[in-house]
Amino acid sequence: MEILHVIWFAALAFLWTGYLVLDGFDLGVGMRIWLRGRTEKQKRLMLNTIGPVWDGNEVWLITAGAGTFAAFPMWYAGLFSSLYIPLTVVLMALIFRAVSIEYRGKGHTDRWRANWDRALGLGSAVIAFGIGAMLASTTLGLPIDANGDRVGGPFVWLSWYAVLGGLAVLGFSWIHGAAFLALKASGQVRTDALLAVRRWLPVAVAPLVVWVLVVQVRYGSPWTWAAVVVAVVALAGSWLAARADRDGWTFALLAAFLVAGAVSIFAAVFPVVLPSTVDPAHDLTVSNASSGDYALTIMTWVAGIALPLILVYQAWSYWTFRRRLSEDHIPEGHEVLPAVLPR
């Protein structure tokens, strides 16, 4: 095993974890707009909390997928071909989610906005479930043969642990979105979001806790169990912070819980990147699934220059739009004349 293999496994674990933390609250807000928004102003307020950052957060998913393809092409091929149907559905959900954010304000009827709210909420839920199912499959296994090809029909991926992973990311995104709204909004939106965190945090993250424990029982080591302890402490701290009205700590500790849990999962399965449920001899590892040393070296130089710049820019974006929003910041709805009037 070479150092570049380890570096790029760690880099991809960082990218996938970053996506779950950052786009996770976006997805949660999208679901809450559809299910919990009481008035049009409340929905617009919730949408404005993620408006400046949601598309930047989604870049983490694109980068993680592209990095997997470039650094570990056999991992990418085995995973994405086995999950062709669910990931196609996730792609459609990503499109509907992005379009709904941009288009819900283009019409002036309640029906128009309700339809796009539904697309936003369902799209966000499908994305969260699909990504969770994919990541659970890459940590707990898919039926692949010695060539990395799927063994079985198109729905053979639909295992109990794929469903567990889907529910894990879905539940975390829901509660993480509520914690974000408690941090970024005020008034009734904040009150409702904070109440949701206080009431439902243990239930929402229960599937994620089960996923972490299953991986640790199968593959864990003493130091990955230490990461689990950190995750439990962060989770308890987040819940206590919510009950004490400490919005910033609630959100930050919930993110820390996810990071520690993800570290425990990725570290426990290393060096395997895709276990085979057919035969352990068919497991894909960082060694037999990776690109050549030359490709990994070039990628390391490019990532070493570009990634810090991207992180600085995204941090600047969050700092610029750090202010809490209220319904007073949302103007009344009004029609706008097009730049070119129709003849």
Side-chain angles (χ1 to χ4, degrees):
M1 185 187 308
E2 298 186 12
I3 187 63
L4 287 176
H5 298 161
V6 179
I7 289 174
W8 273 99
F9 180 85
L12 290 173
F14 171 75
L15 290 171
W16 282 114
T17 304
Y19 172 74
L20 293 177
V21 170
L22 295 177
D23 208 37
F25 68 76
D26 284 350
L27 299 174
V29 172
M31 287 184 273
R32 289 190 67 83
I33 289 173
W34 175 41
L35 296 174
R36 304 301 299 170
R38 301 182 182 182
T39 66
E40 176 59 18
K41 270 203 169 184
Q42 286 187 9
K43 294 179 179 180
R44 290 170 61 194
L45 172 59
M46 287 189 274
L47 191 58
N48 272 266
T49 63
I50 63 172
V53 297
W54 73 269
D55 47 355
N57 294 341
E58 207 167 78
V59 170
W60 286 73
L61 175 62
I62 300 170
T63 307
T68 305
F69 169 77
F72 299 102
M74 288 295 292
W75 179 12
Y76 179 94
L79 183 64
F80 280 67
S81 61
S82 298
L83 302 176
Y84 190 86
I85 291 177
L87 290 181
T88 299
V89 175
V90 168
L91 177 60
M92 297 300 296
L94 284 164
I95 294 172
F96 271 98
R97 173 188 176 231
V99 173
S100 65
I101 292 174
E102 300 294 340
Y103 270 67
R104 81 173 301 277
K106 305 298 183 184
H108 307 292
T109 66
D110 292 338
R111 182 178 181 182
W112 171 274
R113 288 187 289 266
N115 285 335
W116 286 118
D117 288 343
R118 188 175 299 110
L120 175 58
L122 287 174
S124 298
V126 169
I127 294 166
F129 186 89
I131 295 298
M134 181 194 71
L135 291 176
S137 296
T138 201
T139 56
L140 292 171
L142 282 171
I144 56 175
D145 60 20
N147 296 321
D149 297 328
R150 183 190 70 220
V151 177
F155 293 99
V156 72
W157 60 271
L158 192 57
S159 58
W160 66 267
Y161 47 82
V163 175
L164 175 65
L167 293 175
V169 176
L170 183 67
F172 174 80
S173 297
W174 169 263
I175 208 67
H176 200 38
F180 181 75
L181 286 175
L183 175 65
K184 285 287 294 179
S186 60
Q188 190 62 46
V189 171
R190 176 186 179 274
T191 301
D192 291 346
L194 191 59
L195 183 61
V197 176
R198 291 173 177 171
R199 285 182 175 177
W200 300 109
L201 177 60
V203 176
V205 301
L208 181 54
V209 172
V210 173
W211 178 12
V212 170
L213 293 178
V214 169
V215 171
Q216 295 308 309
V217 169
R218 288 192 180 186
Y219 311 112
S221 63
W223 86 269
T224 60
W225 276 104
V228 174
V229 173
V230 173
V232 171
V233 171
L235 180 62
S238 179
W239 193 42
L240 292 174
R243 299 180 70 85
D245 285 348
R246 301 297 296 273
D247 304 332
W249 281 107
T250 301
F251 180 78
L253 288 172
L254 191 56
F257 157 73
L258 186 280
V259 171
V263 167
S264 71
I265 289 174
F266 281 108
V269 299
F270 180 82
V272 176
V273 294
L274 184 58
S276 172
T277 58
V278 176
D279 188 339
H282 301 160
D283 289 353
L284 295 179
T285 68
V286 294
S287 298
N288 64 22
S290 69
S291 295
D293 291 345
Y294 180 75
L296 293 178
T297 300
I298 297 298
M299 290 171 58
T300 302
W301 279 104
V302 173
I305 296 172
L307 188 58
L309 296 176
I310 295 172
L311 292 175
V312 168
Y313 173 76
Q314 193 160 27
W316 174 82
S317 298
Y318 275 93
W319 178 257
T320 301
F321 297 101
R322 67 188 183 278
R323 303 293 184 185
R324 190 185 293 270
L325 300 178
S326 70
E327 291 187 41
D328 294 336
H329 293 111
I330 308 300
E332 296 293 336
H334 59 280
E335 294 190 20
V336 178
L337 292 175
V340 179
L341 292 174
R343 295 182 178 180

